[in-house]
Amino acid sequence: MDISTDISRSCPARATLWVLVLLATLLGLAAPPAARASTAATPFKVLALYNGTWDAAHISFVHEANDWFPEQATQSG
């Protein structure tokens, strides 16, 4: 059995596999997932855990976050 004969036999199988992978990829890209299909944003909640007593930078961040999160909540509904 010659090695060139083995390679020529596997070539059609590889071509078929390549075509199937290409078709699966194209179908996957053409069909939008259900998450992208809906246009309305789903509401979500945020749980923020923090301790604002470690250093000055963290304390400053806590004060800014305490103002920012309620503002974002009112803007986002």
Side-chain angles (χ1 to χ4, degrees), residues 31-51:
R36 289 186 190 171
S38 70
T39 57
T42 58
F44 65 96
K45 297 185 179 196
V46 175
L47 174 64
L49 304 173
Y50 60 88
N51 184 359

Side-chain angles (χ1 to χ4, degrees), residues 1-66:
M1 184 180 251
D2 189 12
I3 192 161
S4 63
T5 315
D6 290 339
I7 293 173
S8 66
R9 286 183 189 165
S10 66
C11 209
R14 285 187 182 189
T16 304
L17 180 62
W18 187 83
V19 168
L20 289 175
V21 168
L22 179 64
L23 285 174
T25 303
L26 291 175
L27 286 174
L29 292 174
R36 289 186 190 171
S38 70
T39 57
T42 58
F44 65 96
K45 297 185 179 196
V46 175
L47 174 64
L49 304 173
Y50 60 88
N51 184 359
T53 59
W54 182 252
D55 63 16
H58 286 98
I59 294 169
S60 174
F61 174 78
V62 167
H63 291 298
E64 292 175 16
N66 285 338

